[in-house]
Amino acid sequence: MNRRLNITLPEQTVRMLDRAVPEGERSRLIDEAVQRFIHEQGGSNLRKQVELGATARSERDRQIAEEWFALPDQP
């Protein structure tokens, strides 16, 4: 299902768009660009969240590892 949107773009952007795609293909290009942008931003945000979580838990994880390796070997 498609929905019609009314958007405003700078004149320079419209000129670039007109040079980049044939007439009637603007919607397809804008759709692809938005999807790519969201996909890339989503991946970037996920990496940032993982990094922040790992940093926040690093001291706890180090202590667990020290305790684990200090345990005697079990037969």
Side-chain angles (χ1 to χ4, degrees):
M1 176 176 161
N2 293 328
R3 289 184 55 193
R4 181 175 293 275
L5 301 175
N6 183 16
I7 62 170
T8 303
L9 298 171
E11 184 62 35
Q12 181 181 358
T13 303
V14 174
R15 284 195 304 268
M16 290 186 333
L17 190 59
D18 288 342
R19 286 192 305 266
V21 295
E23 188 173 331
E25 294 291 318
R26 285 180 179 175
S27 294
R28 181 191 54 77
L29 178 70
I30 292 170
D31 177 49
E32 290 175 8
V34 168
Q35 287 190 39
R36 180 178 293 174
F37 176 81
I38 297 298
H39 177 75
E40 289 174 1
Q41 290 300 308
S44 174
N45 288 336
L46 178 59
R47 281 190 291 277
K48 190 178 295 183
Q49 289 174 357
V50 169
E51 182 180 330
L52 289 173
T55 302
R57 291 184 299 275
S58 64
E59 180 61 25
R60 180 206 63 190
D61 293 347
R62 186 188 61 75
Q63 289 176 352
I64 290 171
E66 285 178 1
E67 291 171 7
W68 175 261
F69 288 112
L71 293 174
D73 291 334
Q74 298 292 324

